[in-house]
PDB file of all heavy atoms in Angstrom:
ATOM      1  N   GLU A  77      31.426  40.399 -44.578  1.00 76.00           N
ATOM      2  CA  GLU A  77      31.049  40.090 -43.219  1.00 76.00           C
ATOM      3  C   GLU A  77      29.698  39.294 -43.203  1.00 76.00           C
ATOM      4  O   GLU A  77      28.948  39.383 -44.140  1.00 76.00           O
ATOM      5  CB  GLU A  77      30.866  41.363 -42.404  1.00 76.00           C
ATOM      6  CG  GLU A  77      32.160  42.173 -42.338  1.00 76.00           C
ATOM      7  CD  GLU A  77      31.931  43.470 -41.465  1.00 76.00           C
ATOM      8  OE1 GLU A  77      30.785  43.666 -41.004  1.00 76.00           O
ATOM      9  OE2 GLU A  77      32.914  44.225 -41.311  1.00 76.00           O
ATOM     10  N   GLY A  78      29.450  38.602 -42.135  1.00 74.00           N
ATOM     11  CA  GLY A  78      28.185  37.931 -41.924  1.00 74.00           C
ATOM     12  C   GLY A  78      27.300  38.817 -41.061  1.00 74.00           C
ATOM     13  O   GLY A  78      27.659  39.937 -40.654  1.00 74.00           O
ATOM     14  N   LEU A  79      26.093  38.291 -40.670  1.00 79.00           N
ATOM     15  CA  LEU A  79      25.166  39.051 -39.907  1.00 79.00           C
ATOM     16  C   LEU A  79      25.465  38.791 -38.366  1.00 79.00           C
ATOM     17  O   LEU A  79      25.504  37.658 -37.998  1.00 79.00           O
ATOM     18  CB  LEU A  79      23.748  38.608 -40.215  1.00 79.00           C
ATOM     19  CG  LEU A  79      22.650  39.256 -39.344  1.00 79.00           C
ATOM     20  CD1 LEU A  79      22.596  40.727 -39.456  1.00 79.00           C
ATOM     21  CD2 LEU A  79      21.256  38.591 -39.733  1.00 79.00           C
ATOM     22  N   CYS A  80      25.628  39.863 -37.705  1.00 76.00           N
ATOM     23  CA  CYS A  80      25.827  39.775 -36.227  1.00 76.00           C
ATOM     24  C   CYS A  80      24.789  40.743 -35.554  1.00 76.00           C
ATOM     25  O   CYS A  80      24.829  41.923 -35.795  1.00 76.00           O
ATOM     26  CB  CYS A  80      27.276  40.145 -35.853  1.00 76.00           C
ATOM     27  SG  CYS A  80      27.575  40.064 -34.045  1.00 76.00           S
ATOM     28  N   ILE A  81      23.875  40.112 -34.759  1.00 77.00           N
ATOM     29  CA  ILE A  81      22.854  40.892 -34.121  1.00 77.00           C
ATOM     30  C   ILE A  81      23.182  41.219 -32.708  1.00 77.00           C
ATOM     31  O   ILE A  81      23.442  40.260 -31.899  1.00 77.00           O
ATOM     32  CB  ILE A  81      21.546  40.138 -34.236  1.00 77.00           C
ATOM     33  CG1 ILE A  81      21.079  39.887 -35.713  1.00 77.00           C
ATOM     34  CG2 ILE A  81      20.392  40.867 -33.481  1.00 77.00           C
ATOM     35  CD1 ILE A  81      19.840  39.062 -35.873  1.00 77.00           C
ATOM     36  N   ALA A  82      23.123  42.494 -32.346  1.00 70.00           N
ATOM     37  CA  ALA A  82      23.431  42.846 -30.939  1.00 70.00           C
ATOM     38  C   ALA A  82      22.130  42.622 -30.129  1.00 70.00           C
ATOM     39  O   ALA A  82      21.160  43.380 -30.113  1.00 70.00           O
ATOM     40  CB  ALA A  82      23.755  44.363 -30.927  1.00 70.00           C
ATOM     41  N   SER A  83      22.105  41.494 -29.449  1.00 69.00           N
ATOM     42  CA  SER A  83      20.953  41.090 -28.608  1.00 69.00           C
ATOM     43  C   SER A  83      21.443  40.502 -27.337  1.00 69.00           C
ATOM     44  O   SER A  83      22.589  40.079 -27.215  1.00 69.00           O
ATOM     45  CB  SER A  83      20.081  40.112 -29.390  1.00 69.00           C
ATOM     46  OG  SER A  83      20.763  38.933 -29.730  1.00 69.00           O
ATOM     47  N   THR A  84      20.554  40.402 -26.324  1.00 65.00           N
ATOM     48  CA  THR A  84      20.873  39.952 -25.041  1.00 65.00           C
ATOM     49  C   THR A  84      21.220  38.421 -25.145  1.00 65.00           C
ATOM     50  O   THR A  84      22.231  37.958 -24.524  1.00 65.00           O
ATOM     51  CB  THR A  84      19.763  40.052 -24.054  1.00 65.00           C
ATOM     52  OG1 THR A  84      19.414  41.496 -23.954  1.00 65.00           O
ATOM     53  CG2 THR A  84      20.154  39.586 -22.638  1.00 65.00           C
ATOM     54  N   ILE A  85      20.472  37.673 -25.924  1.00 70.00           N
ATOM     55  CA  ILE A  85      20.678  36.295 -26.107  1.00 70.00           C
ATOM     56  C   ILE A  85      21.227  36.083 -27.534  1.00 70.00           C
ATOM     57  O   ILE A  85      20.758  36.654 -28.487  1.00 70.00           O
ATOM     58  CB  ILE A  85      19.398  35.490 -25.959  1.00 70.00           C
ATOM     59  CG1 ILE A  85      18.801  35.661 -24.569  1.00 70.00           C
ATOM     60  CG2 ILE A  85      19.622  33.956 -26.216  1.00 70.00           C
ATOM     61  CD1 ILE A  85      17.477  34.998 -24.394  1.00 70.00           C
ATOM     62  N   PRO A  86      22.378  35.326 -27.700  1.00 72.00           N
ATOM     63  CA  PRO A  86      22.989  35.219 -29.013  1.00 72.00           C
ATOM     64  C   PRO A  86      21.990  34.718 -30.054  1.00 72.00           C
ATOM     65  O   PRO A  86      21.332  33.687 -29.870  1.00 72.00           O
ATOM     66  CB  PRO A  86      24.103  34.225 -28.742  1.00 72.00           C
ATOM     67  CG  PRO A  86      24.401  34.278 -27.321  1.00 72.00           C
ATOM     68  CD  PRO A  86      23.073  34.647 -26.651  1.00 72.00           C
ATOM     69  N   ILE A  87      21.995  35.421 -31.195  1.00 74.00           N
ATOM     70  CA  ILE A  87      21.217  35.017 -32.378  1.00 74.00           C
ATOM     71  C   ILE A  87      22.138  35.037 -33.561  1.00 74.00           C
ATOM     72  O   ILE A  87      22.794  36.019 -33.869  1.00 74.00           O
ATOM     73  CB  ILE A  87      20.007  35.992 -32.623  1.00 74.00           C
ATOM     74  CG1 ILE A  87      19.059  35.991 -31.458  1.00 74.00           C
ATOM     75  CG2 ILE A  87      19.303  35.663 -33.933  1.00 74.00           C
ATOM     76  CD1 ILE A  87      17.912  36.920 -31.617  1.00 74.00           C
ATOM     77  N   THR A  88      22.216  33.924 -34.263  1.00 74.00           N
ATOM     78  CA  THR A  88      23.073  33.768 -35.418  1.00 74.00           C
ATOM     79  C   THR A  88      22.252  33.554 -36.676  1.00 74.00           C
ATOM     80  O   THR A  88      21.091  33.149 -36.637  1.00 74.00           O
ATOM     81  CB  THR A  88      24.077  32.588 -35.195  1.00 74.00           C
ATOM     82  OG1 THR A  88      23.289  31.412 -34.964  1.00 74.00           O
ATOM     83  CG2 THR A  88      24.921  32.843 -34.043  1.00 74.00           C
ATOM     84  N   ALA A  89      22.917  33.856 -37.783  1.00 77.00           N
ATOM     85  CA  ALA A  89      22.214  33.639 -39.110  1.00 77.00           C
ATOM     86  C   ALA A  89      22.838  32.463 -39.794  1.00 77.00           C
ATOM     87  O   ALA A  89      24.032  32.293 -39.871  1.00 77.00           O
ATOM     88  CB  ALA A  89      22.419  34.884 -40.002  1.00 77.00           C
ATOM     89  N   VAL A  90      22.025  31.543 -40.233  1.00 75.00           N
ATOM     90  CA  VAL A  90      22.428  30.281 -40.894  1.00 75.00           C
ATOM     91  C   VAL A  90      21.855  30.256 -42.299  1.00 75.00           C
ATOM     92  O   VAL A  90      20.610  30.215 -42.396  1.00 75.00           O
ATOM     93  CB  VAL A  90      22.050  29.089 -40.085  1.00 75.00           C
ATOM     94  CG1 VAL A  90      22.569  27.809 -40.697  1.00 75.00           C
ATOM     95  CG2 VAL A  90      22.573  29.168 -38.622  1.00 75.00           C
TER      96      VAL A  90
END
Side-chain angles (χ1 to χ4, degrees):
E77 299 179 1
L79 175 63
C80 181
I81 298 175
S83 59
T84 305
I85 302 176
I87 296 177
T88 57
V90 182

